[in-house]
Amino acid sequence: MQDRRHFLKFSASAALGGIAASIPSAQASQCQLPKWDDESDYIVVGSGFAGLSAALNTRRKTGDNVLVLEKMQVIGGNSAINGGWLAIPKNPVQLAQGVKDDSPAELVKDQMISGRGMADEAALTQIAEHALEAYQLCIDSGVKFKKDFNIQVGGHNKARAIRTLHGTGGDITTKLYEVGLKEGIEYRLQNCIEDLIMDGDKVIGLKVRQNYRFPDMKTGKNIYIKANKGVILASGGFARNMLLRAAVDPSLDPTLDCTNALGATGEVMLSAMAHGALPVHLNMIQTGHWGSPDEGGFGWSNALLSIGWHQGMSVSVLSGKRYMDERADRKTCSEAIMKNRYSDGSPAYPLVFFNYKDHATDERVTRSLRDEMAWKVNSLDELAAKFNVPLAPLEASVMRFNQQVKARKDQDFGRKMDTAVELKPPFVVSRIWPKVHYCMGGLKTDLGGRVIDARSMSPITNLYALGEITGGVHGEARLSSTSCLECLTMGIVVSDTVKADHA
């Protein structure tokens, strides 16, 4: 139950990392169970890809009541501002393009390489094998994807990444939410989870701050909601929790911007840890190498660079030369980019540029130019002058790049050159610098999504988790377009688990 032992453990673990001030306290209560203000069969915490998928699939497979609690004022969480990428082996566009040799196993192979020995092959295999089912869930829910769009993104060995029509995760979250409403799922906004309610080692409900206004914990009031069959945690990562970030990874540059929504602060994960949930890989925090210093948050650079990484090149403003394989995975690229610094240690933002005429009317270009996070330059001379780049080595670098495009072989960094084009002015040029993007670490679960108790290494009864709140799946680096896939597929898997657990 919610007793003194749990309270002391929570307070000590929070103070150890210097994070006590950033999370709501797990307050001690009387030994008896609380008086319940409300109840549901299942309570899903979070309304992003993971929460919406888990809620919808659980409702369909069990027929039980499902309540979704979201602490912010809008549905969608961090997923709503996601770039809308989804890796689907054997998707219809891929097959129409003639890519016949892809498979779930091929995707897992790429992810295992990216994970650098720390990824969970069984978990990744389960996710990959449910990929087409997740895609069909989107299609059946009314999600629209870009017509004839399927490309190879960083770290993948095949073109298997599709994207939503508007290039945003909101295309998925809105549709899943609308379908859930029609099928009887209840959604409540501004409900912040303060603690799990335990009966021994079994989760039986939640202490919730109702009518909460982020980030003021003095707003709203506390209520207790009973979960008759289970609590499903899908509340995302903690990339916006600066104190927790510093505690688990002191090497992470605190000046880096973050792509996540402001509510990505990890309180629910910490509450579960206070009740014995096992954390793994918390220090593995990924940066997105496509970030722009000229816009805040997730921004538009992710969309623009889907052109730049494939067709263009990136150069250092210090040397005027290429410095990396532009199509490598996020960790490799981010580390290469952040080596570009002036003598005082401040960022020397590298440049990415590609041909303007090939994309003059593309929304990714027109919007970026409009918002001045990218610029049109008419020559290499103009580019060098505008960004203070040494002209002679820049010209030599472009000449060498164009030669490698013709030869379809990058002798400098081993980049795959199948989509690269010969560079000719005018150019679209943007500055890049990584942003904190994704937490690989979180709560350890079994393959069914049951949260593991650190004391017994067995599942905590009636507690499930999926999505970015979980850890140990991707290892050191997650590949682009696999987070949405994980969240949607694990919603399917968890729904099967809860049905089996309460048959």
Side-chain angles (χ1 to χ4, degrees), residues 106 186 206 293 305 327 334 346 390 426 455 484 488:
E106 283 292 304
E186 182 181 0
L206 296 170
L305 269 296
R327 291 178 64 183
S334 288
S346 61
R455 298 159 294 189
C484 178
L488 293 174

Side-chain angles (χ1 to χ4, degrees), residues 289-300:
H289 65 294
W290 30 255
S292 167
D294 298 302
E295 61 180 358
F298 193 88
W300 200 245

Side-chain angles (χ1 to χ4, degrees), residues 113-143:
I113 294 171
S114 177
R116 293 161 170 79
M118 299 296 288
D120 186 331
E121 187 170 8
L124 291 173
T125 298
Q126 176 176 248
I127 291 166
E129 289 178 345
H130 282 83
L132 282 173
E133 192 175 349
Y135 170 76
Q136 194 62 47
L137 172 67
C138 291
I139 296 298
D140 292 344
S141 300
V143 178

Side-chain angles (χ1 to χ4, degrees), residues 23-98:
I23 59 176
S25 298
Q27 300 174 352
S29 67
Q30 297 82 8
C31 290
Q32 69 269 22
L33 296 178
K35 178 181 178 182
W36 301 110
D37 299 288
D38 204 349
E39 66 179 291
S40 183
D41 293 323
Y42 294 99
I43 305 175
V44 177
V45 180
S47 67
F49 297 140
L52 293 171
S53 176
L56 185 56
N57 283 291
T58 297
R59 174 68 173 166
R60 288 174 172 176
K61 291 179 181 179
T62 67
D64 292 327
N65 295 325
V66 178
L67 170 64
V68 177
L69 300 181
E70 166 60 51
K71 79 174 181 180
M72 304 302 279
Q73 293 176 297
V74 293
I75 290 290
N78 203 57
S79 299
I81 59 171
N82 166 284
W85 294 93
L86 194 55
I88 307 291
K90 296 191 177 298
N91 72 73
V93 180
Q94 182 192 54
L95 295 176
Q97 290 175 342

